Amino acid sequence: MLLSRNCGVILSGNQPQFIRSADKGQILTDSIRFRLTPSDLQYVEALGIPLNKPFQLGETIVIRDILRCMSVQSFTSEKLKGDFLESALKMLLINISSQLSDDNADDILNIPHYLRLKQLRRSIYEKPSKRWNIDEICDEMNISKTYFHRIYSAAFGVTCMKDVIDSRISHAQALLRDTALSVSLIAEQCGYDSDSYFMRQFKQNIGCTPTEYRRRAAK
């Protein structure tokens, strides 16, 4: 991914990205890694911030200060550390949103079927167990699969199936952390017919097996 000066990008996937300077010069980055929950995704979307697409920033002083504060606070053991980091993250997103131009928001809203696509995406993250079928979605919208993939990616910066996978994996992470359900039952509740396919896709996205993730989360 190429970034120019004073650019930012919010990546929603779990795979590492190689970021390079668009002008072939030295690139200095401030970054933070956090887990995007379905509600986080909706909040980012409501602020009009594109995911997985570079955006231009007018000034970065406030953003860098917020990131530094979050970095320092993350190494403390204060009881309210989580509340601080959550509030700081919202401040960061609000600052980014306020800097994005109205033209960018207008471009997104002008994408054909945008409101229906937005509702579809919300449903995907609200119903991770559903077996989403692209053919059925396209039939309901009365558009071709090629056209659907193009406008969905233009609207959100990711494919529809990537969102389906992310919603399932995110739900699986929550179930592994917060319940004692078996891996097989979790796979079923996340829309998988095959336990082995679920475990393979989980490791591909998170970097470890569901059992390993549960053990690490417990610590």
Side-chain angles (χ1 to χ4, degrees):
M1 180 177 292
L2 297 177
L3 290 183
S4 58
R5 183 179 178 84
N6 286 352
C7 264
V9 61
I10 296 179
L11 302 173
S12 64
N14 294 295
Q15 297 298 323
Q17 293 280 344
F18 181 65
I19 298 176
R20 295 179 295 161
S21 172
D23 57 9
K24 298 183 180 180
Q26 183 181 14
I27 183 167
L28 300 176
T29 62
D30 291 306
S31 65
I32 185 170
R33 184 174 182 177
F34 52 90
R35 183 183 297 113
L36 278 173
T37 65
S39 60
D40 291 330
L41 285 168
Q42 292 183 21
Y43 184 67
V44 171
E45 182 180 293
L47 290 175
I49 302 174
L51 291 174
N52 306 299
K53 288 183 178 181
F55 46 79
Q56 192 68 40
L57 297 168
E59 63 87 26
T60 59
I61 295 176
V62 174
I63 290 176
R64 289 177 178 176
D65 286 344
I66 294 175
L67 287 175
R68 289 191 183 101
C69 289
M70 294 178 76
S71 177
V72 171
Q73 191 71 17
S74 66
F75 289 102
T76 69
S77 57
E78 296 182 9
K79 293 181 179 179
L80 299 178
K81 178 175 70 173
D83 293 333
F84 177 92
L85 293 175
E86 182 177 353
S87 299
L89 178 59
K90 287 188 176 181
M91 290 172 59
L92 179 68
L93 295 173
I94 290 171
N95 184 274
I96 292 172
S97 176
S98 67
Q99 294 195 50
L100 296 182
S101 67
D102 292 336
D103 291 339
N104 182 56
D106 290 340
D107 289 343
I108 293 176
L109 289 174
N110 287 331
I111 292 173
H113 306 285
Y114 176 74
L115 293 180
R116 292 189 68 180
L117 293 173
K118 183 178 179 180
Q119 180 57 49
L120 168 64
R121 195 183 199 208
R122 182 178 293 111
S123 296
I124 287 172
Y125 280 95
E126 289 176 347
K127 303 173 182 177
S129 63
K130 182 174 179 178
R131 270 65 167 178
W132 295 97
N133 186 295
I134 300 298
D135 288 324
E136 292 178 359
I137 293 172
C138 292
D139 287 342
E140 290 178 5
M141 298 181 67
N142 196 28
I143 58 177
S144 70
K145 287 176 64 174
T146 301
Y147 185 59
F148 168 77
H149 289 309
R150 185 164 67 247
I151 60 176
Y152 193 98
S153 295
F156 308 119
V158 295
T159 65
C160 181
M161 289 312 300
K162 182 64 170 66
D163 270 338
V164 170
I165 292 171
D166 285 348
S167 73
R168 290 175 173 179
I169 297 300
S170 177
H171 187 49
Q173 287 178 285
L175 293 176
L176 288 166
R177 291 193 310 269
D178 304 330
T179 75
L181 295 175
S182 68
V183 171
S184 179
L185 191 54
I186 288 176
E188 181 182 337
Q189 293 195 8
C190 292
Y192 291 93
D193 296 322
S194 165
D195 293 359
S196 60
Y197 182 62
F198 162 65
M199 289 187 284
R200 184 164 64 250
Q201 197 166 78
F202 188 95
K203 185 173 183 179
Q204 187 177 32
N205 283 268
I206 303 302
C208 64
T209 66
T211 301
E212 290 171 336
Y213 179 84
R214 169 172 274 168
R215 185 170 60 250
R216 293 176 186 178
K219 293 180 180 179

